[in-house]
């Protein structure tokens, strides 16, 4: 089955950039639409962005549109979240998730989740 592991989180100043990666150890990565979600303390998990199986269709939350970019390299079984212009309100644990077929903004509809990586943006 799919096993996802995020990496690339850390501490960055406001206005800075980070690139998160999510790697799958399986062999059927291209069968899954991928989503990125985040959860800040005291808040529910929220949708950040999603990308289709071939990396053509992409969807972004309004809060990150124009600042975050999703991409995927199916040959490397990896999906990326490039984050620029980071703001303190972006601070959260970021999770990648995989879903068979079409993507979704609804966390419960995803089949697999990584353990998350912390992103902290200082003022």
């Amino acid at each position: 089955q799919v096993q996802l592991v995020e990496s690339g989180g850390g501490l960055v100043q406001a206005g800075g950039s980070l690139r998160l990666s999510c790697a799958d150890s399986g062999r059927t990565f291209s069968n899954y639409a991928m989503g990125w979600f985040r959860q800040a303390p005291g808040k529910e998990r929220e949708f950040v962005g999603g990308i289709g199986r071939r990396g053509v269709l992409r969807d972004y939350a309004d809060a990150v549109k124009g600042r975050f970019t999703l991409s995927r390299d199916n040959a490397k079984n990896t999906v990326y979240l490039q984050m620029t212009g980071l703001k303190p309100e972006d601070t959260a644990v970021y999770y990648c998730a995989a879903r068979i077929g079409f993507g979704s903004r609804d966390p419960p509809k995803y089949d697999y989740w990584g353990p998350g990586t912390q992103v902290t943006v200082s003022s």
Side-chain angles (χ1 to χ4, degrees):
Q1 63 177 35
V2 174
Q3 295 182 344
L4 306 174
V5 179
E6 303 94 339
S7 62
L11 176 65
V12 64
Q13 293 184 342
S17 301
L18 284 173
R19 188 177 78 159
L20 305 184
S21 299
C22 178
D24 174 32
S25 62
R27 299 177 61 85
T28 58
F29 181 75
S30 63
N31 292 337
Y32 297 88
M34 301 295 297
W36 283 95
F37 298 81
R38 65 188 183 186
Q39 188 165 20
K43 296 184 178 180
E44 295 184 354
R45 189 166 300 187
E46 67 171 330
F47 172 78
V48 175
I51 188 167
R53 291 170 293 174
R54 294 184 296 165
V56 176
L57 299 177
R58 277 160 283 187
D59 184 30
Y60 298 94
D62 289 343
V64 306
K65 192 173 298 182
R67 299 188 296 120
F68 291 10
T69 302
L70 282 80
S71 62
R72 67 189 295 164
D73 187 341
N74 288 346
K76 297 181 178 180
N77 284 9
T78 303
V79 63
Y80 305 95
L81 180 65
Q82 178 68 51
M83 305 184 293
T84 61
L86 284 163
K87 306 174 181 179
E89 50 262 47
D90 294 319
T91 296
V93 176
Y94 282 71
Y95 301 89
C96 70
R99 184 176 189 268
I100 298 174
F102 298 105
S104 176
R105 292 187 172 195
D106 188 19
K109 293 186 177 179
Y110 281 80
D111 301 298
Y112 303 97
W113 292 85
T117 185
Q118 177 70 46
V119 172
T120 302
V121 184
S122 62
S123 300

